[in-house]
Amino acid sequence: MYNSSNTKHLQQQSKYFLEHINDEKKIIHNIDDLRKVLRFHEYRYYILNDPLLSDYEYDQLYKLLEKTEKENPKLITKDSPTQRVGSSLNEGFQTVQHLVPMLSLENSYNAGDLIDWDRKARELTKLENIEYCIEPKFDGASISLIYENDLLVRAATRGDGVEGEDITNNIKQIRSIPLSAPFSGYGIQQIEIRGEVIMSKKSFEKYNDWLVEQGQSALANPRNAASGSLRMKDPKEVSRRNLEAFLYHVSYYTKDDRIKMAYDSKNKKPIISHPSSVNLLATHSGMLQMLWECGFRSPQKEKQVVRGIDEVIKHVHDFEDMRDTLPYEIDGMVVKVNDLALQDEMGMTTHHPRWAIAFKFKARQATTKLRSIEFQVGRTGAVTPVAKLDPVYIGGVTVSSISVHNEEYIKEKDLKIGDSVLIERAGDVIPQIVKSLSELRDGTEAEIQFPTHCPVCGSKLFKEETEAVWRCINIECEAQVVERIIHFVSKDAMDIKSFGEANVRKFYELKLIKDVPGIYHLDFDTISQLEGFGKKSIDNLHAAIEASKQQPLNRLIYALGIRFVGETTAKTLANAVESLFDLENKSEEELQELEDVGIKVAKSVYQFFHNKENIAMLHQLQEAGLQFNNEKRETIAAGGLAGQTFLFTGTLAKLKRSEAETLAEQHGGKIASGVSAKLNYLVVGEDAGSKLEKAKKINTIKIITEDEFLKLVQ
Ligand code: IVH
């Protein structure tokens, strides 16, 4: 779909749009190109993982399209990148019929199973050896998409295989699924495609961190996270989960003769927009390539075409060895007969096609004994039960303790001390207890008693009605203090490199640090006498602590560890104030007016800033020299150009148009969309045309040169 010449062209167009961001007429005139440009960048980002624009530039272009469409609703198209955002909630899901039933796959577990399957396939086809296409078996939730005349018209869940549910609105949130795709280039009018919605290991961890931060239980694995997303009521919630999709099967398509027969009358021959399309549609691997060329994430790079079952066996084992290096979960491989005509000949049972088989990887499960439960106190006082197990080797690591989240979870899994338990580890993901093996009990097992008092400081534990966790609310509780310091120095917070959890614990034990402000008053002389602290590591630590004083306000807010305030909310809060202490003066209602700040978050922020100890701690941090002001806002507020509007025309000698505009904005100015009486300054470069003429007629407009403008922003 994209080659080096149109890539260059689209990149040039992106720059063009960025430079003409205020030229309404040009944008309206070229709005289709703007959409193409945005689709191209989505493809670079979500399919190739190789973006060509910064997030900021992409956002600018996206907002430009959004604004232009809002002002000119007639120009909106169904496949515009802005049309992913579902504004309304899903009101139940309509049942829909699949064009072709969604079958399951036969399973195999070892080389012997594969050899048997290949023998049957050869008997059936009377062939000596068969060409197979092998691809990963993605561990997610299956979906079915229909495109008509290049437009995505429906997305459905698998359901019972014959009927599923219409989840189009939710699927549109997945950026790796194009809203339109050039199937007509292959002569295809209607097409049904199958695939799997997955959540990458990284997104899964991030999402779980967020859930825990919100006081909810973590999800067991990426598969559950993906499948639980498809039927969510709020499409925005789906968007938050950062889902991806692999498309691996074309179950049905119709060809449009008009497309196929399009004729080039000048050269007197049919136009085949894709010369290779005829061949591509004959094999499964060709179909994967066609999907890839149409902008889908198909297993084009992961697939392997081989001849004969010996090659298959070798390949699936090789792939299993590198399974942990993949960014997403797979639970096996799928082997498919590559020739589609041969597939038709082999047919299917009511349960599965005869031309495909799944090779399941070894389950990463094991059984062990649950010996005891340790109750750990976290940064927010949450008491988490952790199951201590007889160490067991599973999926490449030895596991001896697993979090069991909360009291309800323990009840749900019916866990008792002394139980044999089945545990599972999915890839890099944290191990989970699947269930207790109650049939193996001998009567010596003991109920798990949840403590009524904090295991660290002894104060009484509390639980809110709407929550599953018990909490220690003594903010001086040692365990919480240590966890708060660990969070404060962590990478996503103040990022004090070379501090780390181990050092926090060590310094705390040695009474070298007792609270967060203590980070900025460490006694380096004493530390230099500790084992393992040479001059170099002390210098590094010192420098990292000093550097952290310059961290922007949003990081500081996140580092404070206010309940429910993750990185995004911290940014929102930082942007809403000029100085951190402004938050002290905001009411819960005012806080709730901020984007994505609900009742719970507002309450928590309000409480934090109305707690004497917290305010005292903030004063200490301010005295230590941390960045309490929102730098960006300060320049704008103090900017000498506040309230003034600017327009640039002609070619500037020193600045690019976009740079000049940013500069004006950074100093508080606004960019006008055209010459009108509201305009304060017209900055004129070389070859200025009609704008200059028009401005000359309005005597309130100041007409200045680029140098004069630069003086204004000095
Ligand atoms: S082909 C008619 N290919 O595994 C053949 N399925 O256990 C349709 N799956 O229901 C399936 N990766 O949800 C196929 N590369 C892949 C797959 C795959 C994952 C899922 C699919 C299917 C299930 C069967």
Side-chain angles (χ1 to χ4, degrees):
M1 192 162 58
Y2 299 110
N3 53 33
S4 69
S5 93
N6 58 22
T7 294
K8 258 192 219 134
H9 178 64
L10 284 154
Q11 186 67 1
Q12 277 163 3
Q13 278 188 312
S14 318
K15 297 288 172 198
Y16 172 87
F17 283 119
L18 284 170
E19 276 160 24
H20 293 83
I21 223 154
N22 292 305
D23 194 335
E24 218 171 304
K25 267 208 193 117
K26 276 208 174 85
I27 305 296
I28 291 181
H29 191 242
N30 296 305
I31 192 162
D32 266 337
D33 283 343
L34 177 58
R35 281 193 275 260
K36 278 190 195 138
V37 160
L38 279 161
R39 277 187 211 113
F40 165 70
H41 289 296
E42 285 187 349
Y43 177 80
R44 295 290 312 196
Y45 190 93
Y46 292 103
I47 306 282
L48 299 188
N49 206 357
D50 185 14
L52 289 178
L53 285 186
S54 68
D55 288 0
Y56 176 70
E57 288 168 316
Y58 174 84
D59 280 352
Q60 276 194 311
L61 291 180
Y62 185 88
K63 283 189 186 137
L64 176 63
L65 178 64
E66 208 173 34
K67 174 173 158 269
T68 316
E69 287 183 343
K70 203 169 166 200
E71 287 164 5
N72 308 277
K74 279 200 192 119
L75 296 179
I76 301 177
T77 60
K78 281 195 178 142
D79 62 342
S80 170
T82 57
Q83 298 306 296
R84 290 188 185 276
V85 193
S87 50
S88 55
L89 296 182
N90 292 307
E91 302 282 345
F93 297 94
Q94 220 188 334
T95 305
V96 290
Q97 192 149 21
H98 298 300
L99 300 183
V100 172
M102 283 177 89
L103 296 185
S104 198
L105 287 170
E106 186 181 357
N107 285 330
S108 66
Y109 299 92
N110 50 47
D113 292 347
L114 285 174
I115 291 169
D116 287 349
W117 176 75
D118 170 67
R119 196 188 51 247
K120 272 188 264 161
R122 284 185 293 114
E123 277 168 13
L124 207 63
T125 57
K126 304 200 170 52
L127 287 174
E128 279 203 357
N129 66 34
I130 296 178
E131 186 176 78
Y132 293 113
C133 180
I134 314 164
E135 65 208 34
K137 185 170 183 307
F138 304 100
D139 200 7
S142 48
I143 51 159
S144 177
L145 309 176
I146 300 180
Y147 286 76
E148 277 169 11
N149 303 320
D150 293 349
L151 265 192
L152 171 67
V153 292
R154 193 186 85 184
T157 59
R158 180 178 191 277
D160 63 5
V162 176
E163 288 180 334
E165 284 178 305
D166 187 329
I167 49 163
T168 316
N169 278 342
N170 286 350
I171 287 300
K172 282 184 178 171
Q173 308 305 315
I174 303 174
R175 302 291 194 106
S176 53
I177 296 182
L179 298 184
S180 62
F183 288 117
S184 52
Y186 300 82
I188 292 173
Q189 195 261 330
Q190 187 195 34
I191 185 166
E192 188 183 47
I193 316 166
R194 301 278 152 82
E196 206 82 358
V197 169
I198 56 161
M199 194 187 257
S200 73
K201 294 173 187 170
K202 219 183 189 165
S203 298
F204 174 71
E205 272 168 32
K206 241 183 155 171
Y207 184 66
N208 256 353
D209 286 350
W210 180 82
L211 281 179
V212 172
E213 202 176 84
Q214 298 290 306
Q216 300 177 48
S217 298
L219 296 173
N221 51 44
R223 184 194 338 115
N224 286 7
S227 62
S229 309
L230 297 186
R231 298 177 71 263
M232 293 193 91
K233 221 172 160 193
D234 186 355
K236 284 210 190 83
E237 206 33 56
V238 181
S239 175
R240 184 200 287 291
R241 294 191 175 200
N242 229 341
L243 300 170
E244 299 169 31
F246 271 99
L247 280 306
Y248 47 66
H249 179 65
V250 171
S251 49
Y252 176 83
Y253 67 91
T254 57
K255 295 225 37 163
D256 184 329
D257 285 345
R258 275 166 311 161
I259 301 172
K260 209 167 65 181
M261 299 307 286
Y263 200 74
D264 177 350
S265 49
K266 202 163 143 218
N267 292 313
K268 301 207 166 27
K269 51 179 185 193
I271 299 166
I272 304 173
S273 42
H274 238 280
S276 58
S277 64
V278 183
N279 295 339
L280 285 188
L281 305 189
T283 59
H284 174 69
S285 58
M287 287 290 196
L288 294 182
Q289 187 177 328
M290 190 257 303
L291 289 174
W292 179 260
E293 287 176 3
C294 281
F296 291 88
R297 195 159 172 215
S298 73
Q300 168 69 9
K301 302 254 159 75
E302 294 80 358
K303 77 176 182 210
Q304 178 90 0
V305 177
V306 301
R307 194 165 272 283
I309 203 68
D310 293 345
E311 292 285 309
V312 170
I313 292 167
K314 184 173 176 318
H315 183 71
V316 294
H317 284 127
D318 286 350
F319 216 94
E320 182 167 9
D321 288 342
M322 52 161 264
R323 140 192 217 192
D324 283 339
T325 64
L326 296 174
Y328 47 81
E329 282 297 335
I330 64 173
D331 61 339
M333 303 296 283
V334 184
V335 185
K336 296 172 180 173
V337 170
N338 200 27
D339 181 334
L340 296 183
L342 210 52
Q343 283 191 2
D344 274 349
E345 210 177 284
M346 294 171 78
M348 48 194 70
T349 71
T350 49
H351 173 261
H352 60 257
R354 291 197 188 88
W355 44 261
I357 191 161
F359 176 81
K360 301 277 278 203
F361 289 158
K362 272 172 222 75
R364 291 195 273 206
Q365 288 189 330
T367 57
T368 187
K369 283 253 170 173
L370 194 169
R371 291 296 174 194
S372 63
I373 295 280
E374 199 178 280
F375 292 92
Q376 293 180 353
V377 186
R379 156 168 74 85
T380 58
V383 177
T384 311
V386 177
K388 295 286 160 184
L389 310 163
D390 281 350
V392 57
Y393 189 76
I394 163 176
V397 293
T398 302
V399 177
S400 57
S401 63
I402 292 184
S403 163
V404 281
H405 309 297
N406 55 50
E407 207 175 4
E408 270 167 38
Y409 185 91
I410 292 175
K411 277 201 193 116
E412 221 172 80
K413 300 258 163 179
D414 181 27
L415 300 179
K416 289 189 162 70
I417 291 170
D419 263 348
S420 293
V421 287
L422 179 65
I423 65 172
E424 182 179 69
R425 181 173 171 266
D428 295 343
V429 175
I430 313 151
Q432 301 281 333
I433 294 191
V434 180
K435 59 177 183 178
S436 61
L437 305 171
S438 52
E439 57 275 29
L440 299 182
R441 284 181 183 153
D442 61 11
T444 58
E445 296 76 16
E447 291 289 336
I448 295 169
Q449 299 295 339
F450 223 85
T452 51
H453 289 76
C454 174
V456 177
C457 73
S459 56
K460 198 167 179 307
L461 298 181
F462 287 89
K463 186 164 97 117
E464 280 186 36
E465 246 175 57
T466 51
E467 279 204 348
V469 280
W470 286 90
R471 280 177 202 281
C472 164
I473 57 163
N474 167 19
I475 81 157
E476 309 223 308
C477 167
E478 251 182 44
Q480 289 182 52
V481 174
V482 171
E483 293 299 331
R484 272 205 299 272
I485 304 175
I486 292 172
H487 173 72
F488 192 90
V489 301
S490 67
K491 191 163 178 293
D492 293 335
M494 297 301 268
D495 192 19
I496 309 188
K497 292 194 181 69
S498 62
F499 212 127
E501 180 170 345
N503 281 343
V504 174
R505 291 195 190 284
K506 190 185 268 172
F507 296 165
Y508 190 86
E509 259 169 43
L510 295 172
K511 302 206 165 30
L512 287 167
I513 187 170
K514 67 173 185 11
D515 54 17
V516 167
I519 295 169
Y520 297 96
H521 303 287
L522 279 180
D523 175 357
F524 287 102
D525 286 341
T526 312
I527 296 176
S528 67
Q529 281 151 36
L530 299 177
E531 205 178 310
F533 284 90
K535 180 165 176 344
K536 195 153 177 236
S537 58
I538 299 238
D539 285 349
N540 286 345
L541 182 61
H542 202 159
I545 293 174
E546 282 306 307
S548 75
K549 293 180 180 171
Q550 297 310 318
Q551 288 286 22
L553 184 57
N554 60 304
R555 275 187 177 260
L556 173 59
I557 294 179
Y558 174 64
L560 295 175
I562 306 169
R563 258 182 88 198
F564 308 128
V565 176
E567 285 172 85
T568 318
T569 312
K571 276 191 193 142
T572 308
L573 293 173
N575 280 332
V577 294
E578 274 162 31
S579 148
L580 183 61
F581 282 118
D582 292 350
L583 287 171
E584 224 184 323
N585 303 321
K586 290 216 182 282
S587 66
E588 283 184 44
E589 290 73 26
E590 282 170 329
L591 289 164
Q592 274 184 56
E593 279 164 20
L594 301 174
E595 203 180 329
D596 275 344
V597 175
I599 302 176
K600 216 161 69 170
V601 180
K603 194 168 173 185
S604 166
V605 174
Y606 183 85
Q607 282 175 351
F608 184 92
F609 284 93
H610 287 80
N611 172 300
K612 267 204 326 260
E613 281 89 9
N614 289 340
I615 298 296
M617 171 191 68
L618 291 180
H619 281 295
Q620 289 178 49
L621 289 177
Q622 194 179 34
E623 271 157 35
L626 273 72
Q627 187 60 257
F628 268 50
N629 290 334
N630 184 345
E631 292 273 274
K632 210 169 104 207
R633 274 185 60 105
E634 200 175 50
T635 42
I636 292 171
L641 307 185
Q644 306 290 315
T645 55
F646 286 80
L647 188 64
F648 296 84
T649 185
T651 316
L652 303 180
K654 296 184 181 153
L655 297 171
K656 275 197 213 149
R657 177 80 59 88
S658 55
E659 287 169 348
E661 288 172 353
T662 311
L663 210 54
E665 283 176 339
Q666 278 172 349
H667 286 77
K670 278 214 171 92
I671 306 301
S673 54
V675 177
S676 75
K678 285 189 206 143
L679 180 65
N680 300 110
Y681 288 94
L682 182 74
V683 185
V684 186
E686 213 166 296
D687 294 332
S690 61
K691 278 189 193 136
L692 176 58
E693 293 314 311
K694 200 170 166 191
K696 277 182 184 164
K697 292 185 190 134
I698 308 174
N699 48 22
T700 50
I701 300 177
K702 296 181 200 82
I703 299 170
I704 60 170
T705 62
E706 183 181 6
D707 283 337
E708 284 168 325
F709 168 70
L710 284 170
K711 278 203 191 110
L712 285 180
V713 293
Q714 251 172 16

PDB file of all heavy atoms in Angstrom, residues 75-95:
ATOM      1  N   LEU A  75     -18.334  17.577   5.282  1.00  0.00           N
ATOM      2  CA  LEU A  75     -17.099  16.995   4.729  1.00  0.00           C
ATOM      3  C   LEU A  75     -16.689  15.691   5.424  1.00  0.00           C
ATOM      4  O   LEU A  75     -15.746  15.030   5.008  1.00  0.00           O
ATOM      5  CB  LEU A  75     -15.955  18.006   4.851  1.00  0.00           C
ATOM      6  CG  LEU A  75     -16.106  19.297   4.042  1.00  0.00           C
ATOM      7  CD1 LEU A  75     -14.924  20.213   4.272  1.00  0.00           C
ATOM      8  CD2 LEU A  75     -16.229  18.971   2.555  1.00  0.00           C
ATOM      9  N   ILE A  76     -17.404  15.321   6.496  1.00  0.00           N
ATOM     10  CA  ILE A  76     -17.008  14.105   7.246  1.00  0.00           C
ATOM     11  C   ILE A  76     -17.258  12.861   6.391  1.00  0.00           C
ATOM     12  O   ILE A  76     -18.292  12.758   5.733  1.00  0.00           O
ATOM     13  CB  ILE A  76     -17.804  13.996   8.566  1.00  0.00           C
ATOM     14  CG1 ILE A  76     -17.542  15.224   9.430  1.00  0.00           C
ATOM     15  CG2 ILE A  76     -17.436  12.724   9.322  1.00  0.00           C
ATOM     16  CD1 ILE A  76     -18.319  15.255  10.726  1.00  0.00           C
ATOM     17  N   THR A  77     -16.306  11.932   6.405  1.00  0.00           N
ATOM     18  CA  THR A  77     -16.536  10.657   5.719  1.00  0.00           C
ATOM     19  C   THR A  77     -16.586   9.550   6.773  1.00  0.00           C
ATOM     20  O   THR A  77     -16.065   9.722   7.870  1.00  0.00           O
ATOM     21  CB  THR A  77     -15.391  10.318   4.736  1.00  0.00           C
ATOM     22  OG1 THR A  77     -14.186  10.231   5.504  1.00  0.00           O
ATOM     23  CG2 THR A  77     -15.251  11.371   3.657  1.00  0.00           C
ATOM     24  N   LYS A  78     -17.201   8.404   6.385  1.00  0.00           N
ATOM     25  CA  LYS A  78     -17.363   7.317   7.356  1.00  0.00           C
ATOM     26  C   LYS A  78     -16.035   6.752   7.823  1.00  0.00           C
ATOM     27  O   LYS A  78     -15.915   6.229   8.922  1.00  0.00           O
ATOM     28  CB  LYS A  78     -18.173   6.193   6.722  1.00  0.00           C
ATOM     29  CG  LYS A  78     -19.641   6.481   6.699  1.00  0.00           C
ATOM     30  CD  LYS A  78     -20.404   5.214   6.407  1.00  0.00           C
ATOM     31  CE  LYS A  78     -21.877   5.504   6.435  1.00  0.00           C
ATOM     32  NZ  LYS A  78     -22.622   4.789   5.429  1.00  0.00           N
ATOM     33  N   ASP A  79     -15.032   6.800   6.934  1.00  0.00           N
ATOM     34  CA  ASP A  79     -13.753   6.206   7.314  1.00  0.00           C
ATOM     35  C   ASP A  79     -12.737   7.268   7.726  1.00  0.00           C
ATOM     36  O   ASP A  79     -11.540   7.025   7.722  1.00  0.00           O
ATOM     37  CB  ASP A  79     -13.197   5.350   6.167  1.00  0.00           C
ATOM     38  CG  ASP A  79     -12.935   6.171   4.921  1.00  0.00           C
ATOM     39  OD1 ASP A  79     -13.490   7.287   4.815  1.00  0.00           O
ATOM     40  OD2 ASP A  79     -12.181   5.696   4.058  1.00  0.00           O
ATOM     41  N   SER A  80     -13.232   8.435   8.101  1.00  0.00           N
ATOM     42  CA  SER A  80     -12.301   9.457   8.583  1.00  0.00           C
ATOM     43  C   SER A  80     -11.678   8.989   9.900  1.00  0.00           C
ATOM     44  O   SER A  80     -12.376   8.403  10.731  1.00  0.00           O
ATOM     45  CB  SER A  80     -13.059  10.761   8.814  1.00  0.00           C
ATOM     46  OG  SER A  80     -12.209  11.664   9.480  1.00  0.00           O
ATOM     47  N   PRO A  81     -10.367   9.242  10.094  1.00  0.00           N
ATOM     48  CA  PRO A  81      -9.729   8.824  11.347  1.00  0.00           C
ATOM     49  C   PRO A  81     -10.453   9.342  12.592  1.00  0.00           C
ATOM     50  O   PRO A  81     -10.327   8.780  13.660  1.00  0.00           O
ATOM     51  CB  PRO A  81      -8.327   9.429  11.241  1.00  0.00           C
ATOM     52  CG  PRO A  81      -8.075   9.546   9.785  1.00  0.00           C
ATOM     53  CD  PRO A  81      -9.405   9.831   9.146  1.00  0.00           C
ATOM     54  N   THR A  82     -11.235  10.411  12.438  1.00  0.00           N
ATOM     55  CA  THR A  82     -11.942  10.943  13.611  1.00  0.00           C
ATOM     56  C   THR A  82     -13.149  10.085  13.965  1.00  0.00           C
ATOM     57  O   THR A  82     -13.710  10.234  15.043  1.00  0.00           O
ATOM     58  CB  THR A  82     -12.483  12.354  13.318  1.00  0.00           C
ATOM     59  OG1 THR A  82     -13.330  12.257  12.168  1.00  0.00           O
ATOM     60  CG2 THR A  82     -11.368  13.347  13.052  1.00  0.00           C
ATOM     61  N   GLN A  83     -13.566   9.211  13.048  1.00  0.00           N
ATOM     62  CA  GLN A  83     -14.813   8.479  13.276  1.00  0.00           C
ATOM     63  C   GLN A  83     -14.630   7.233  14.144  1.00  0.00           C
ATOM     64  O   GLN A  83     -15.548   6.442  14.305  1.00  0.00           O
ATOM     65  CB  GLN A  83     -15.476   8.101  11.942  1.00  0.00           C
ATOM     66  CG  GLN A  83     -15.852   9.307  11.124  1.00  0.00           C
ATOM     67  CD  GLN A  83     -16.719  10.289  11.900  1.00  0.00           C
ATOM     68  OE1 GLN A  83     -17.826   9.982  12.291  1.00  0.00           O
ATOM     69  NE2 GLN A  83     -16.187  11.479  12.175  1.00  0.00           N
ATOM     70  N   ARG A  84     -13.425   7.055  14.678  1.00  0.00           N
ATOM     71  CA  ARG A  84     -13.235   5.922  15.600  1.00  0.00           C
ATOM     72  C   ARG A  84     -13.891   6.219  16.936  1.00  0.00           C
ATOM     73  O   ARG A  84     -14.384   5.339  17.602  1.00  0.00           O
ATOM     74  CB  ARG A  84     -11.748   5.693  15.849  1.00  0.00           C
ATOM     75  CG  ARG A  84     -11.024   5.159  14.646  1.00  0.00           C
ATOM     76  CD  ARG A  84      -9.605   4.764  15.039  1.00  0.00           C
ATOM     77  NE  ARG A  84      -8.848   4.358  13.873  1.00  0.00           N
ATOM     78  CZ  ARG A  84      -8.875   3.129  13.352  1.00  0.00           C
ATOM     79  NH1 ARG A  84      -9.618   2.195  13.898  1.00  0.00           N
ATOM     80  NH2 ARG A  84      -8.162   2.835  12.294  1.00  0.00           N
ATOM     81  N   VAL A  85     -13.816   7.472  17.319  1.00  0.00           N
ATOM     82  CA  VAL A  85     -14.264   7.836  18.656  1.00  0.00           C
ATOM     83  C   VAL A  85     -15.781   7.732  18.745  1.00  0.00           C
ATOM     84  O   VAL A  85     -16.500   8.559  18.209  1.00  0.00           O
ATOM     85  CB  VAL A  85     -13.851   9.291  18.974  1.00  0.00           C
ATOM     86  CG1 VAL A  85     -14.005   9.578  20.439  1.00  0.00           C
ATOM     87  CG2 VAL A  85     -12.430   9.528  18.508  1.00  0.00           C
ATOM     88  N   GLY A  86     -16.247   6.672  19.404  1.00  0.00           N
ATOM     89  CA  GLY A  86     -17.686   6.498  19.567  1.00  0.00           C
ATOM     90  C   GLY A  86     -18.166   7.438  20.657  1.00  0.00           C
ATOM     91  O   GLY A  86     -17.664   7.376  21.765  1.00  0.00           O
ATOM     92  N   SER A  87     -19.078   8.297  20.349  1.00  0.00           N
ATOM     93  CA  SER A  87     -19.497   9.245  21.372  1.00  0.00           C
ATOM     94  C   SER A  87     -20.520   8.607  22.298  1.00  0.00           C
ATOM     95  O   SER A  87     -20.544   8.847  23.486  1.00  0.00           O
ATOM     96  CB  SER A  87     -20.065  10.491  20.724  1.00  0.00           C
ATOM     97  OG  SER A  87     -21.020  10.097  19.765  1.00  0.00           O
ATOM     98  N   SER A  88     -21.368   7.739  21.711  1.00  0.00           N
ATOM     99  CA  SER A  88     -22.444   7.219  22.550  1.00  0.00           C
ATOM    100  C   SER A  88     -22.076   5.872  23.158  1.00  0.00           C
ATOM    101  O   SER A  88     -21.208   5.154  22.659  1.00  0.00           O
ATOM    102  CB  SER A  88     -23.689   7.075  21.701  1.00  0.00           C
ATOM    103  OG  SER A  88     -23.376   6.267  20.590  1.00  0.00           O
ATOM    104  N   LEU A  89     -22.775   5.540  24.227  1.00  0.00           N
ATOM    105  CA  LEU A  89     -22.545   4.255  24.879  1.00  0.00           C
ATOM    106  C   LEU A  89     -23.252   3.156  24.089  1.00  0.00           C
ATOM    107  O   LEU A  89     -24.253   3.397  23.429  1.00  0.00           O
ATOM    108  CB  LEU A  89     -23.109   4.295  26.296  1.00  0.00           C
ATOM    109  CG  LEU A  89     -22.460   5.287  27.247  1.00  0.00           C
ATOM    110  CD1 LEU A  89     -23.093   5.187  28.618  1.00  0.00           C
ATOM    111  CD2 LEU A  89     -20.955   5.032  27.364  1.00  0.00           C
ATOM    112  N   ASN A  90     -22.734   1.938  24.166  1.00  0.00           N
ATOM    113  CA  ASN A  90     -23.401   0.820  23.512  1.00  0.00           C
ATOM    114  C   ASN A  90     -24.642   0.444  24.316  1.00  0.00           C
ATOM    115  O   ASN A  90     -24.551   0.192  25.513  1.00  0.00           O
ATOM    116  CB  ASN A  90     -22.471  -0.390  23.466  1.00  0.00           C
ATOM    117  CG  ASN A  90     -21.297  -0.163  22.542  1.00  0.00           C
ATOM    118  OD1 ASN A  90     -21.481   0.192  21.383  1.00  0.00           O
ATOM    119  ND2 ASN A  90     -20.087  -0.354  23.049  1.00  0.00           N
ATOM    120  N   GLU A  91     -25.775   0.387  23.652  1.00  0.00           N
ATOM    121  CA  GLU A  91     -27.016  -0.013  24.341  1.00  0.00           C
ATOM    122  C   GLU A  91     -27.268  -1.476  24.008  1.00  0.00           C
ATOM    123  O   GLU A  91     -28.021  -1.790  23.115  1.00  0.00           O
ATOM    124  CB  GLU A  91     -28.203   0.818  23.827  1.00  0.00           C
ATOM    125  CG  GLU A  91     -28.059   2.302  23.976  1.00  0.00           C
ATOM    126  CD  GLU A  91     -28.333   2.761  25.404  1.00  0.00           C
ATOM    127  OE1 GLU A  91     -28.897   1.963  26.178  1.00  0.00           O
ATOM    128  OE2 GLU A  91     -27.962   3.895  25.725  1.00  0.00           O
ATOM    129  N   GLY A  92     -26.623  -2.371  24.694  1.00  0.00           N
ATOM    130  CA  GLY A  92     -26.785  -3.794  24.369  1.00  0.00           C
ATOM    131  C   GLY A  92     -26.123  -4.077  23.031  1.00  0.00           C
ATOM    132  O   GLY A  92     -25.757  -3.149  22.316  1.00  0.00           O
ATOM    133  N   PHE A  93     -25.947  -5.334  22.705  1.00  0.00           N
ATOM    134  CA  PHE A  93     -25.292  -5.672  21.441  1.00  0.00           C
ATOM    135  C   PHE A  93     -26.236  -6.526  20.608  1.00  0.00           C
ATOM    136  O   PHE A  93     -26.754  -7.534  21.085  1.00  0.00           O
ATOM    137  CB  PHE A  93     -23.986  -6.423  21.708  1.00  0.00           C
ATOM    138  CG  PHE A  93     -22.975  -5.598  22.447  1.00  0.00           C
ATOM    139  CD1 PHE A  93     -22.882  -5.679  23.829  1.00  0.00           C
ATOM    140  CD2 PHE A  93     -22.140  -4.719  21.779  1.00  0.00           C
ATOM    141  CE1 PHE A  93     -21.971  -4.902  24.523  1.00  0.00           C
ATOM    142  CE2 PHE A  93     -21.228  -3.936  22.461  1.00  0.00           C
ATOM    143  CZ  PHE A  93     -21.142  -4.029  23.836  1.00  0.00           C
ATOM    144  N   GLN A  94     -26.402  -6.114  19.358  1.00  0.00           N
ATOM    145  CA  GLN A  94     -27.322  -6.837  18.493  1.00  0.00           C
ATOM    146  C   GLN A  94     -26.723  -8.170  18.051  1.00  0.00           C
ATOM    147  O   GLN A  94     -25.522  -8.232  17.749  1.00  0.00           O
ATOM    148  CB  GLN A  94     -27.549  -5.970  17.256  1.00  0.00           C
ATOM    149  CG  GLN A  94     -28.957  -5.968  16.794  1.00  0.00           C
ATOM    150  CD  GLN A  94     -29.040  -5.253  15.464  1.00  0.00           C
ATOM    151  OE1 GLN A  94     -28.209  -4.389  15.150  1.00  0.00           O
ATOM    152  NE2 GLN A  94     -30.019  -5.618  14.675  1.00  0.00           N
ATOM    153  N   THR A  95     -27.574  -9.205  17.989  1.00  0.00           N
ATOM    154  CA  THR A  95     -27.086 -10.498  17.500  1.00  0.00           C
ATOM    155  C   THR A  95     -27.010 -10.458  15.975  1.00  0.00           C
ATOM    156  O   THR A  95     -27.940  -9.985  15.322  1.00  0.00           O
ATOM    157  CB  THR A  95     -28.054 -11.621  17.923  1.00  0.00           C
ATOM    158  OG1 THR A  95     -28.193 -11.531  19.332  1.00  0.00           O
ATOM    159  CG2 THR A  95     -27.537 -12.990  17.547  1.00  0.00           C
TER     160      THR A  95
END
